[in-house]
Amino acid sequence: MRVIVAALAALIVGATALIAKDLTPAPYPQVPAGAETAIFAIGCFWCAESAFEGKPGIISVTSGHTGGQTKNPTYEDVGQGGTGHAEAILIVYDPKKTTYEDLLYRFWRNADPYSANGQFCDRGSQYRPEIFVKDAAQRKAAEASKAELEKQDKFKGKIVVKITDASTFYTAEKYHQDFAVLNPDHYKRYRFGCGRDDRLDAIWGKEARAGDPEH
Ligand code: MHO
């Protein structure tokens, strides 16, 4: 009897873990007619997602991986390094309600632009910051936003964020989507422990708060 109870308990715990951690890749987001897309890497995608989700004109934000060579990578693959991919977000937005320039503004204020091989506590090229542009117009705007910041002494010649042509965006597992909303305690512990807000405040001052209401 005890064995059966233990086996049942193990099954329930296992099933709960599976439900809590859905490893299926999230569906590629719908892009309604007239909507636009943007792809950014700013370290941990839970945080990147939460910086944009729910903001004016944002239709959806999906966590995933891009910029590398491995096809259909898992989070574990990317975490081990060697896939070339970065954790990234794919934003679908309504250009009538917000602009790519607005998104860039928010991107920068959620990034440590001095840090090429990771962001905050997360090190490794999978956490690099990067702007993945889909066309010449996005490239022009991204380069202009970088040049604008470089007019400030503190950024002059020190911004290491690359601007790269976008390639395939692979959606991450379902359990990574909306992580901040669905796992608020875990998310806050991680974010605080990673020193993200302290560092953003130190770099951007009050402007950092434009990036995330959770600050
Ligand atoms: N170092 C963190 C990163 C989370 S993130 C989505 C962790 O392993 O939980 O890469």
Side-chain angles (χ1 to χ4, degrees):
M1 183 64 183
R2 220 180 261 171
V3 176
I4 295 173
V5 171
L8 270 178
L11 262 179
I12 291 166
V13 170
T16 315
L18 271 182
I19 292 164
K21 243 187 166 194
D22 190 340
L23 297 174
T24 323
Y28 199 84
Q30 302 264 357
V31 183
E36 286 289 346
T37 58
I39 300 176
F40 298 128
I42 340 178
C44 163
F45 49 30
W46 302 336
C47 301
E49 217 192 288
S50 118
F52 288 90
E53 198 84 73
K55 296 295 182 303
I58 302 296
I59 296 168
S60 69
V61 189
T62 305
S63 285
H65 302 106
T66 196
Q69 311 82 37
T70 307
K71 291 209 169 111
N72 301 311
T74 64
Y75 172 71
E76 296 295 326
D77 295 336
V78 175
Q80 277 159 25
T83 66
H85 289 299
E87 289 197 16
I89 50 166
L90 169 61
I91 301 171
V92 180
Y93 67 99
D94 180 348
K96 291 198 205 79
K97 297 190 181 145
T98 190
T99 62
Y100 187 60
E101 285 74 9
D102 290 343
L103 304 185
L104 287 166
Y105 181 94
R106 193 175 288 283
F107 163 83
W108 287 111
R109 282 150 192 83
N110 279 278
D112 177 346
Y114 304 115
S115 174
N117 193 43
Q119 288 282 277
F120 316 103
C121 69
D122 292 313
R123 310 316 305 165
S125 80
Q126 69 273 32
Y127 290 111
R128 68 189 182 272
E130 194 156 343
I131 300 173
F132 294 96
V133 292
K134 67 169 191 175
D135 56 24
Q138 284 198 349
R139 174 170 289 281
K140 199 171 161 202
E143 277 167 2
S145 72
K146 186 171 168 180
E148 183 61 35
L149 290 171
E150 282 182 326
K151 284 187 195 154
Q152 297 179 38
D153 282 345
K154 66 175 176 178
F155 292 129
K156 200 167 242 147
K158 293 186 193 143
I159 297 186
V160 294
V161 177
K162 283 196 188 138
I163 300 170
T164 309
D165 287 337
S167 52
T168 309
F169 181 91
Y170 296 99
T171 62
E173 292 84 344
K174 283 186 178 164
Y175 83 93
H176 281 301
Q177 309 299 329
D178 302 318
F179 193 90
V181 175
L182 299 175
N183 305 278
D185 293 340
H186 184 156
Y187 174 71
K188 280 180 199 151
R189 251 196 331 272
Y190 158 73
R191 185 173 176 124
F192 178 78
C194 198
R196 182 175 269 262
D197 294 320
D198 283 348
R199 180 76 180 137
L200 288 177
D201 282 348
I203 299 168
W204 297 100
K206 274 200 214 134
E207 281 187 53
R209 291 166 204 284
D212 194 332
E214 281 195 33
H215 275 272

